[in-house]
Amino acid sequence: MQTNTQEEAIARLAHCLKQAGHRLTPQRLAICRALIESENHPTAAEIFERLRPAYPTMSLGTVYKTLRTLVELGAIQEIGDAGDGAEHYDVNLHPHVNLVCTLCNSVRDMDSAAIEQVADEVERNSGFRIRGARIVYYGVCPDCAGNGGSR
Amino acid sequence: MQTNTQEEAIARLAHCLKQAGHRLTPQRLAICRALIESENHPTAAEIFERLRPAYPTMSLGTVYKTLRTLVELGAIQEIGDAGDGAEHYDVNLHPHVNLVCTLCNSVRDMDSAAIEQVADEVERNSGFRIRGARIVYYGVCPDCAGNGGSR
DNA sequence: TTAGCTGCAAATAGTTTGCAGTTTT
DNA sequence: AAAACTGCAAACTATTTGCAGCTAA
């Protein structure tokens, strides 16, 4: 489902790289694809594992380097760790809420009418020039709450 | 200014520790005090440095252990790194916005009318049971923008 | 008294970096 | 051909952990 939208998203990342004078190698394209196709907001290690079968020579260092490049270009966002001690990455640049399940360490997106106003409010009241945000709520997702989510 | 409020806040942290059956050692009390008195939301290393003159035998490991205990008790919050690669801690449990200046790595709090609604909205729409949040905006603070904030 | 805490040092683990060889442009 | 990139391994660094001795309760 929404395959062509995914292709567009991959093309957007590829375009960002080329635009900034970076080279579009097979490894980088694969990393972009993994970012877009991933359900949860992946870590570097998760992308690496996901790509390993198809790209056996892929290096974890290359994944880190590419992710950092994309972050520096503003093409993707870091959203911090999800209780697993590793950085997670988010392809969704639209202001939104990230929901972390502290039981399964998954991260999902949620649109929020209220959050869209917050950035404006913050800029107006603080004098800050806002460049980015991490809006993360921690809790227990319905799936985990369902099957024995006592903890 | 607001010294008695600060004393109350320190007492709150001390109370949390005792309440949970933990011991109130001089080191822990000093760490609580440093957390409350710190202007910016400090890292473990910052607390350690701040306390070192008065507590020359204080160990960084003890700072980490105490901070973790306080987080587990829900007495303080982790708010992620501020571009310096280290975890920052926040004593303010009221839902609020953290503003990180990416030039001076300082973190300050801001109240936001809109953010108070977001948690409700999220719980209602997602089915998540929310336990905590990190609302962090990154940008350039007015001070840094003033003196040559071109970058 | 004794369970829990401190301080120290060693261990962990995520991320970054240096470099030789390879590849995109 | 040249500049940039990959892969590997070593380096870094924030944080955690193990343990012997100390101390709050």
Side-chain angles (χ1 to χ4, degrees):
Chain A
M1 56 231 72
Q2 64 171 235
T3 302
N4 43 356
T5 305
Q6 287 198 347
E7 289 307 321
E8 284 169 29
I10 296 167
R12 175 180 71 81
L13 295 183
H15 182 75
C16 279
L17 285 169
K18 300 217 74 166
Q19 189 79 356
H22 295 281
R23 288 181 185 168
L24 193 56
T25 63
Q27 291 91 333
R28 285 184 172 170
L29 195 55
I31 291 165
C32 292
R33 168 161 275 115
L35 275 166
I36 299 292
E37 291 177 348
S38 173
E39 293 292 317
N40 296 338
H41 303 243
T43 63
E46 283 164 5
I47 293 173
F48 175 64
E49 290 304 332
R50 181 188 186 114
L51 259 34
R52 188 130 68 150
Y55 300 79
T57 70
M58 173 77 73
S59 148
L60 183 54
T62 297
V63 176
Y64 273 110
K65 283 171 186 162
T66 300
L67 289 172
R68 191 144 72 102
T69 300
L70 288 168
V71 168
E72 281 167 0
L73 292 175
I76 64 175
Q77 257 194 349
E78 298 177 321
I79 56 174
D81 77 293
D84 52 2
E87 187 73 43
H88 289 246
Y89 296 85
D90 190 345
V91 178
N92 183 354
L93 298 178
H94 183 80
H96 68 285
V97 170
N98 288 110
L99 283 170
V100 171
C101 175
T102 52
L103 290 186
C104 64
N105 286 335
S106 70
V107 187
R108 66 186 71 173
D109 284 349
M110 208 192 95
D111 284 322
S112 157
I115 204 67
E116 312 225 7
Q117 312 168 16
V118 175
D120 285 346
E121 194 184 352
V122 167
E123 252 182 343
R124 212 171 329 108
N125 294 356
S126 69
F128 262 63
R129 197 181 314 151
I130 291 181
R131 296 277 172 80
R134 294 184 197 177
I135 316 295
V136 185
Y137 284 85
Y138 297 88
V140 179
C141 72
D143 290 353
C144 287
N147 24 292
S150 60
R151 212 213 128 202
Chain B
M1 55 232 66
Q2 63 171 232
T3 302
N4 43 354
T5 305
Q6 286 199 348
E7 289 306 321
E8 283 170 29
I10 296 166
R12 175 180 71 81
L13 295 183
H15 181 75
C16 280
L17 286 169
K18 300 217 74 169
Q19 190 79 357
H22 295 283
R23 289 184 184 164
L24 193 56
T25 63
Q27 291 91 333
R28 285 184 171 169
L29 194 57
I31 291 164
C32 291
R33 168 160 274 114
L35 275 166
I36 299 293
E37 290 178 348
S38 173
E39 293 292 318
N40 296 339
H41 301 241
T43 63
E46 283 164 4
I47 292 173
F48 175 65
E49 290 304 331
R50 180 188 187 115
L51 259 34
R52 189 131 68 151
Y55 299 79
T57 71
M58 173 76 74
S59 149
L60 183 55
T62 297
V63 177
Y64 273 110
K65 284 171 187 161
T66 299
L67 289 171
R68 192 144 73 103
T69 300
L70 288 168
V71 168
E72 282 167 359
L73 292 175
I76 63 175
Q77 257 195 347
E78 298 177 320
I79 57 176
D81 75 293
D84 50 3
E87 188 71 44
H88 288 246
Y89 296 86
D90 190 346
V91 177
N92 184 353
L93 299 178
H94 183 79
H96 68 285
V97 170
N98 288 110
L99 283 169
V100 171
C101 175
T102 53
L103 290 186
C104 63
N105 286 335
S106 69
V107 187
R108 65 185 74 172
D109 285 348
M110 207 192 96
D111 283 322
S112 157
I115 204 67
E116 311 224 7
Q117 311 167 17
V118 175
D120 285 346
E121 194 184 354
V122 167
E123 255 185 340
R124 212 171 329 109
N125 294 357
S126 70
F128 262 63
R129 197 182 313 152
I130 292 181
R131 297 275 172 82
R134 295 185 198 175
I135 315 296
V136 186
Y137 284 85
Y138 298 87
V140 179
C141 71
D143 290 353
C144 287
N147 24 292
S150 58
R151 210 216 129 201

